[in-house]
Amino acid sequence: MLYAEVAVNVPVRLNQTFHYRVPEALAQQVQKYSRVEVPFANRVVQGFIVGFSAPPATAKIKDIKRVVEKETFLNDELLTTARWLVERYLCSLGDALQCIAGPPGVKRKSPETVLIAQVDQVTLKGLSKAPKQKEALELAMLNPGLTKNQLSQLAGVSLSVVNALLAKGYLKEVPVHGVTNDAPVDWPKLTLEQVSAVQQVKEALNTKQPSAWLLYGVTGSGKTEVYLRTIKEVLRQQRQAIVLVPEISLTPQMVERFRSRFGDKVALLHSGLSQGERYAEKERIKSGEAAVVLGARSAIFAPTPDLGLIIIDEEHETSYKQEETPKYHAREVALQRAAQCKAAVILGSATPALESFCRARPGGPYKLLTLTKRIEDRALPSIQIVDLRQELSLGNRSIFSLTLQRALARRLANQEKCILFLNRRGLASIVVCRQCGQVMKCPRCDISLTLHSDGWLKCHYCSHQTRSPASCPHCSSRIIRSFGIGTQRVEEEMKRLFPSCQVLRMDADTTTRKGSHEELLDAFIHGEAQVLIGTQMIAKGLDIPQVTLVGVISADITLHMPDFRAAERTFQLLTQVAGRAGRGKTPGEVIIQTYDPAHFSIKAAQKHDYLKFYQQEMITRQALQYPPFSHLIRVLFSGINEADVMAAAQWWQDQLAAAKQAAGFSQVEILGPAPAGIPKIKDRYRWQLIIKGTMSKEIRNIAAKVLEQAGLRFKQVAVSIDVDPI
Ligand SMILES: [Zn+2]
Ligand SMILES: [Zn+2]
């Protein structure tokens, strides 16, 4: 009889596993790391087999109910990573394994096929009586290698339309990975800075020792080319590379860029894959056949047999932090896997996270590689700051300053394209004086206070609160109020000022349908529209040469979000948005509108001066002991009944204080309980505690102790732990 040790997906003591009997009938269907269903406390839960053992001593032993998935692509190296996740992010081993394995895949019987078009212009003309077929065929020509389902979705037609094209012979089905690029691989000439960066990483790769690099390069300086060359070296050594990009930039153009260099060796891992596609890609990765794994955050757990290199592009992006338990950061996982596999890590960004740049200072754990020049000696765009307080005194009440209006008129007359950007993140209400630009802030934490519906301004770190003032405490102006503008409002204003101009809007409302994001971009690049209005969605990675003007409607929304990282986010966002302008032959122009034109993060972005920004921001962080000078853990409590939520938060506060006392960690601070940044979501009240300390180990230690004491004490309140929240 076989006995299995199972890590279950329920909040149990962090490293605890349970023993189950493997029924005779299932013995052939299980192996180490299989995903199984087991009875647990009167219900059935999923878990992973982490080992087989002799009959355990306990008398009451239950049977495994069902095998969900025999091959999960977990392995011993990934189990070590899972155990590390448990320690680092305070989750259960079952949660960690679930996160690494991802959703179950399904092994397909026949290999998947994709479509290629076989037509000429004459055939296309002949289809003019069947407009749906014609449109689908045109899309298939533009995007070779789509599956039948993908094409029908992209074209917005039924599968029967695609089948009709197949029957006529205009489309042909070929095996997936049969679409290879036969054109000779084109490796462009590198700049001197690129050569130096590639050379240094190559030397490190040859030592087969772990190494970490921060590739700091201005926008448009050719970081991707450095990635491609170092990957080439890793492939020469018969090892594998993982390349992470933010989900939003995982576009067909991006994938094509890698496929044109590495062909079939590229595997894709992202949330849009079907179960069959995911299984097939993981199989190719495990065998080593696909040696270049390209994907979003979760691709960091790809089951590579001999990992040599991990690249994280736009490493400062918040999408690398998972929002659900375990709330891991892909950058930290990358460093852990690299240490284990003796691999190199390259973190690339034009605006590195403060923590990353700090680690790349002399004597730090990262080595710094810099690219200071744009390729082909293109100039960085010129950035102009517009003071919105002046507009008010000039009598201009439009959300477009006169400067922006004039620039738009000029660019539109020249048939050039423009992007108008509005950040919507952190929609919490902040109170700002329109006359002097002053923002109401917490005197203790230096973060913006949020306006609650009861009229109180509250700090969501330390729970300090004050009445919303009727006039500005700084200049006594009575024009002091919360603000928020939407992209729709920007679109209306655009239509009012430039009625004949074609405008596209890209935000959460216009991109809910799958593929609509790509369609809108395509329409902007190839179509009539001269202006694209959008949220942070359009800030990243867009490379459209015809765009010569970028307007930032309000830098203040980011600048005043209630978060100690507000200045950093502002600098990053403005730099990224500005980087969208002038990627072609015509130099680019950027206009930033703000009520706070003297703020150092805006000034530094204007001068493309990351170092200046870094030095100034580090002074603030040190003064208030925020990361990277300290570590934080956020404990979030949520529930239907606010009294229950507050009671749970208070109980935790007491226990944390006691645990801190007992351990003698005098450096550790416990802030709150306070209402969370968003105090209520879907009828659930949210309160939070923040644990702050100079040693990450110390604060994790006391949080883990209290987590264990809490057990299942709070049935009506969900408690979620976020180590290093961002
Ligand atoms: Zn004022
Ligand atoms: Zn405060």
Side-chain angles (χ1 to χ4, degrees):
M1 191 54 84
L2 203 54
Y3 293 89
E5 186 186 352
V6 177
V8 289
N9 296 347
V10 285
V12 286
R13 254 169 285 162
L14 302 182
N15 254 317
Q16 197 169 8
T17 53
F18 298 86
H19 289 90
Y20 292 90
R21 185 167 32 224
V22 182
E24 210 59 64
L26 296 181
Q28 294 305 311
Q29 294 175 42
V30 295
Q31 61 187 33
K32 195 176 178 190
Y33 303 122
S34 287
R35 194 191 307 249
V36 292
E37 266 179 15
V38 292
F40 186 88
N42 298 325
R43 53 200 179 111
V44 175
V45 299
Q46 287 200 358
F48 295 87
I49 295 178
V50 293
F52 295 99
S53 63
T58 45
K60 271 172 61 185
I61 182 133
K62 293 174 181 160
D63 280 1
I64 287 177
K65 278 247 181 303
R66 188 169 80 90
V67 180
V68 179
E69 191 184 28
K70 182 177 181 182
E71 171 63 278
T72 53
F73 297 100
L74 291 168
N75 58 37
D76 293 352
E77 184 230 319
L78 290 172
L79 177 62
T80 308
T81 300
R83 293 199 188 281
W84 173 86
L85 280 174
V86 170
E87 288 276 311
R88 185 68 176 66
Y89 292 103
L90 308 179
C91 61
S92 73
L93 183 59
D95 281 337
L97 289 168
Q98 166 71 28
C99 166
I100 294 174
V106 176
K107 191 181 169 78
R108 256 194 301 248
K109 284 177 196 78
S110 57
E112 194 189 15
T113 56
V114 291
L115 302 169
I116 50 170
Q118 295 188 307
V119 274
D120 48 37
Q121 290 304 321
V122 182
T123 328
L124 267 180
K125 274 228 176 76
L127 277 175
S128 55
K129 289 217 178 74
K132 281 186 175 173
Q133 290 186 19
K134 182 162 180 270
E135 200 191 326
L137 193 53
E138 280 172 342
L139 280 168
M141 288 167 72
L142 284 172
N143 307 283
L146 295 173
T147 64
K148 279 162 68 171
N149 279 323
Q150 284 168 339
L151 179 59
S152 84
Q153 269 178 15
L154 189 62
V157 298
S158 66
L159 270 177
S160 62
V161 173
V162 179
N163 285 330
L165 289 167
L166 277 163
K168 288 179 183 169
Y170 298 156
L171 285 178
K172 203 176 111 183
E173 283 188 284
V174 297
V176 72
H177 309 302
V179 192
T180 44
N181 198 331
D182 309 334
V185 177
D186 171 31
W187 294 88
K189 198 167 162 8
L190 298 181
T191 64
L192 284 176
E193 288 180 328
Q194 286 174 323
V195 170
S196 159
V198 171
Q199 194 53 37
Q200 291 182 62
V201 179
K202 265 190 185 175
E203 278 165 22
L205 285 169
N206 284 325
T207 65
K208 305 259 164 76
Q209 286 304 310
S211 63
W213 306 83
L214 177 65
L215 177 61
Y216 160 56
V218 297
T219 54
S221 61
K223 291 187 283 293
T224 309
E225 203 54 46
V226 174
Y227 304 155
L228 293 165
R229 301 293 169 123
T230 46
I231 294 169
K232 194 178 171 193
E233 175 66 16
V234 168
L235 297 192
R236 202 186 56 76
Q237 296 182 3
Q238 311 279 317
R239 302 175 83 190
Q240 300 87 42
I242 296 175
V243 184
L244 299 188
V245 296
E247 179 97 43
I248 205 99
S249 37
L250 199 58
T251 56
Q253 293 93 315
M254 177 81 180
V255 176
E256 189 43 47
R257 193 155 177 199
F258 277 78
R259 286 237 167 99
S260 73
R261 304 292 176 90
F262 305 116
D264 281 2
K265 290 204 177 72
V266 179
L268 279 183
L269 285 182
H270 58 86
S271 56
L273 294 181
S274 71
Q275 291 190 325
E277 287 165 335
R278 188 177 303 111
Y279 191 96
E281 289 295 65
K282 285 196 172 180
E283 210 166 34
R284 295 201 314 127
I285 295 165
K286 185 188 175 185
S287 71
E289 177 199 334
V292 183
V293 182
L294 180 60
R297 181 183 61 230
S298 60
I300 192 62
F301 300 117
T304 47
D306 184 10
L307 185 58
L309 175 66
I310 302 172
I311 291 166
I312 304 188
D313 188 32
E314 308 289 354
E315 66 91 32
H316 62 277
E317 275 296 323
T318 52
S319 62
Y320 288 126
K321 170 92 171 167
Q322 168 146 298
E323 286 177 2
E324 303 88 46
T325 301
K327 299 181 176 177
Y328 70 90
H329 197 297
R331 187 200 295 136
E332 304 303 315
V333 179
L335 294 167
Q336 187 277 336
R337 280 196 82 183
Q340 204 184 162
C341 303
K342 303 200 185 315
V345 177
I346 303 177
L347 307 170
S349 177
T351 53
L354 228 61
E355 284 90 339
S356 298
F357 202 76
C358 180
R359 289 178 183 174
R361 304 309 286 164
Y366 302 167
K367 291 184 200 78
L368 184 64
L369 304 167
T370 45
L371 303 177
T372 57
K373 294 186 187 68
R374 279 188 153 185
I375 51 166
E376 293 168 16
D377 284 324
R378 280 179 205 145
L380 283 163
S382 75
I383 300 182
Q384 198 179 346
I385 299 173
V386 173
D387 184 348
L388 287 176
R389 297 169 305 180
Q390 300 279 328
E391 298 293 318
L392 198 64
S393 52
L394 288 172
N396 175 24
R397 298 239 159 204
S398 164
I399 52 173
F400 291 6
S401 62
L402 298 173
T403 312
L404 182 58
Q405 291 181 25
R406 277 194 295 268
L408 275 167
R410 199 168 55 238
R411 298 291 173 176
L412 295 178
N414 288 344
Q415 301 300 316
E416 293 165 17
K417 296 202 188 248
C418 310
I419 289 180
L420 294 177
F421 174 81
L422 183 72
N423 184 29
R424 289 283 301 281
R425 196 166 167 236
L427 209 58
S429 309
I430 308 304
V431 173
V432 185
C433 170
R434 300 292 169 96
Q435 205 78 50
C436 74
Q438 189 81 5
V439 174
M440 298 298 292
K441 286 193 167 187
C442 173
R444 273 180 277 184
C445 310
D446 195 43
I447 66 157
S448 305
L449 295 169
T450 29
L451 182 63
H452 286 239
S453 49
D454 55 10
W456 286 86
L457 283 166
K458 294 179 189 173
C459 169
H460 72 99
Y461 282 15
C462 74
S463 78
H464 166 85
Q465 59 177 14
T466 174
R467 275 267 164 215
S468 185
S471 62
C472 173
H474 193 66
C475 75
S476 312
S477 161
R478 299 190 71 83
I479 318 175
I480 176 164
R481 57 185 66 128
S482 67
F483 72 75
I485 357 168
T487 42
Q488 243 167 329
R489 177 86 186 73
V490 178
E491 188 181 14
E492 283 161 18
E493 188 66 2
M494 192 64 213
K495 285 193 171 140
R496 190 180 70 81
L497 292 167
F498 303 95
S500 63
C501 172
Q502 288 229 35
V503 176
L504 283 174
R505 179 162 61 90
M506 187 151 109
D507 56 25
D509 297 335
T510 62
T511 54
T512 43
R513 200 164 45 80
K514 205 180 165 189
S516 48
H517 178 243
E518 287 79 16
E519 274 172 49
L520 270 170
L521 276 185
D522 203 59
F524 181 55
I525 297 168
H526 302 291
E528 297 286 293
Q530 272 187 279
V531 175
L532 177 66
I533 298 170
T535 54
Q536 53 268 39
M537 235 177 238
I538 61 172
K540 295 145 200 170
L542 270 190
D543 196 345
I544 305 173
Q546 306 100 304
V547 173
T548 51
L549 172 67
V550 170
V552 178
I553 302 300
S554 166
D556 306 2
I557 298 174
T558 316
L559 190 57
H560 301 317
M561 54 194 245
D563 183 329
F564 72 88
R565 286 193 177 87
E568 183 178 3
R569 297 267 179 270
T570 305
F571 179 82
Q572 288 169 345
L573 205 61
L574 293 180
T575 306
Q576 298 293 337
V577 177
R580 300 311 115 216
R583 294 178 87 94
K585 296 223 161 51
T586 319
E589 175 187 9
V590 180
I591 294 173
I592 297 172
Q593 306 193 133
T594 175
Y595 283 100
D596 198 353
H599 196 280
F600 74 92
S601 64
I602 296 179
K603 286 238 174 256
Q606 180 186 28
K607 299 201 178 84
H608 308 284
D609 194 345
Y610 177 82
L611 217 59
K612 184 82 179 287
F613 164 77
Y614 171 82
Q615 285 160 350
Q616 179 77 41
E617 179 66 3
M618 285 295 269
I619 293 170
T620 315
R621 298 281 179 95
Q622 184 163 30
L624 293 155
Q625 283 294 299
Y626 282 129
F629 295 93
S630 67
H631 297 270
L632 304 178
I633 292 178
R634 183 170 89 130
V635 189
L636 181 73
F637 305 85
S638 64
I640 304 284
N641 182 332
E642 192 167 23
D644 286 349
V645 175
M646 286 165 70
Q650 193 53 56
W651 182 89
W652 263 76
Q653 210 262 359
D654 295 342
Q655 302 303 312
L656 284 170
K660 172 197 151 172
Q661 191 80 31
F665 296 155
S666 55
Q667 301 282 330
V668 173
E669 276 181 81
I670 298 152
L671 303 174
I678 306 171
K680 196 176 175 188
I681 295 179
K682 289 181 186 157
D683 289 330
R684 293 179 72 87
Y685 290 92
R686 294 150 50 89
W687 280 67
Q688 68 181 25
L689 281 170
I690 291 179
I691 316 171
K692 185 171 167 186
T694 46
M695 303 284 289
S696 174
K697 255 214 164 88
E698 289 187 357
I699 58 174
R700 281 187 277 131
N701 178 307
I702 65 166
K705 279 216 178 83
V706 177
L707 189 63
E708 194 161 312
Q709 285 164 17
L712 300 171
R713 171 185 289 262
F714 302 105
K715 296 217 161 43
Q716 306 304 324
V717 179
V719 179
S720 120
I721 295 198
D722 191 352
V723 178
D724 305 331
I726 60 169

